[in-house]
Amino acid sequence: AQTVTQSQPEMSVQEAETVTLSCTYDTSESNYYLFWYKQPPSRQMILVIRQEAYKQQNATENRFSVNFQKAAKSFSLKISDSQLGDTAMYFCAFMKHGIGGGSNYKLTFGKGTLLTVNP
Amino acid sequence: DTGVSQDPRHKITKRGQNVTFRCDPISEHNRLYWYRQTLGQGPEFLTYFQNEAQLEKSRLLSDRFSAERPKGSFSTLEIQRTEQGDSAMYLCASSSEGTSGYRGYTFGSGTRLTVV
């Protein structure tokens, strides 16, 4: 079974600054996806960024980027130029890869990090 | 397409009553998932459908829980004889394989259940 650990229950950052959220995971799988989801106070979960484990290049989406260290099983999220709208709960999640039909596309989530962006 | 819709948004029920939630996924998505999220926790997997077939159920899904997805479209999650421990946010999500690889879930806004 996979486990996902987010060791920072809460973090805060000043508007326009950069913040990094940590995530570690444990798995015996070699092919998998990793995701960061954002859950604003309205509660709808939104996909922020995804990473395929076989790709060495770190994923980026505008102000969001990841530092994926496969050997260390670490998957941190960096938010640059933080905005007030980034205030939300952030969840790291793991999914076994679907190649060859070996995935049920089930997500395993961490407990989340509550990020507050201060004006 | 307006995304994944869940109804109702909030439900308060007395212990012992039955409740049913509905989820309408994105129309072209063939996979549908139910998750449960309690306060301060990440979502936990409950069950998963591919088209109309229920392919996996979590151990969290006791005999009081049943889910259906007739005709591979909308899905319902029913909880019979509700208990206070069932109080949670119930999230529905849908997904499909894209031409550029798996794109991840689209979640609904959830149904918040309170059992009193």
Side-chain angles (χ1 to χ4, degrees):
Chain A
Q2 292 77 33
T3 59
V4 177
T5 302
Q6 294 179 250
S7 59
Q8 305 150 316
E10 294 186 37
M11 293 190 71
S12 63
V13 64
Q14 293 299 120
E15 196 175 6
E17 294 188 346
T18 295
V19 64
T20 298
L21 308 184
S22 300
C23 173
T24 58
Y25 58 95
D26 189 24
T27 185
S28 59
E29 303 290 337
S30 57
N31 294 317
Y32 48 87
Y33 294 99
L34 293 164
F35 302 87
W36 279 97
Y37 279 89
K38 169 185 177 181
Q39 192 174 38
S42 65
R43 308 293 287 184
Q44 185 165 16
M45 199 88 69
I46 302 166
L47 177 64
V48 174
I49 198 166
R50 67 171 183 137
Q51 174 81 40
E52 295 173 80
Y54 69 89
K55 291 185 177 179
Q56 293 186 340
Q57 186 174 5
N58 289 325
T60 61
E61 288 286 345
N62 301 312
R63 298 183 295 107
F64 298 88
S65 62
V66 298
N67 184 3
F68 173 48
Q69 301 290 327
K70 190 173 184 179
K73 296 181 180 175
S74 171
F75 183 61
S76 61
L77 175 69
K78 185 171 81 172
I79 306 174
S80 304
D81 186 25
S82 296
Q83 300 176 1
L84 297 178
D86 295 334
T87 293
M89 185 73 92
Y90 286 81
F91 291 98
C92 178
F94 172 100
M95 177 186 288
K96 184 178 172 183
H97 202 278
I99 290 178
S103 175
N104 58 9
Y105 300 93
K106 179 173 70 176
L107 282 171
T108 300
F109 287 87
K111 290 188 175 182
T113 296
L114 178 60
L115 176 67
T116 302
V117 180
N118 298 310
Chain B
D1 199 334
T2 56
V4 178
S5 300
Q6 291 189 247
D7 183 70
R9 292 292 305 272
H10 302 275
K11 178 70 177 179
I12 300 175
T13 190
K14 292 184 178 180
R15 188 175 56 183
Q17 297 294 306
N18 299 344
V19 294
T20 300
F21 311 142
R22 177 180 170 122
C23 172
D24 287 271
I26 292 174
S27 56
E28 60 265 31
H29 285 181
N30 62 338
R31 300 188 186 98
L32 185 147
Y33 310 81
W34 286 97
Y35 282 75
R36 181 170 69 187
Q37 185 178 20
T38 54
L39 198 61
Q41 301 294 319
E44 296 174 295
F45 172 79
L46 291 179
T47 190
Y48 150 61
F49 290 86
Q50 183 159 317
N51 300 313
E52 67 274 12
Q54 188 174 19
L55 296 187
E56 185 169 342
K57 292 171 58 174
S58 164
R59 295 175 186 175
L60 294 175
L61 219 61
S62 73
D63 292 344
R64 296 184 299 105
F65 288 72
S66 63
E68 295 182 344
R69 191 184 182 196
K71 301 178 183 178
S73 56
F74 71 93
S75 176
T76 58
L77 178 67
E78 181 184 15
I79 309 175
Q80 297 181 329
R81 305 181 303 281
T82 52
E83 302 173 354
Q84 288 187 323
D86 297 332
S87 295
M89 176 75 84
Y90 290 84
L91 297 171
C92 177
S94 66
S95 73
S96 65
E97 196 77 23
T99 54
S100 59
Y102 191 70
R103 299 298 302 171
Y105 293 5
T106 301
F107 280 89
S109 297
T111 294
R112 178 166 295 284
L113 173 67
T114 303
V115 181
V116 298

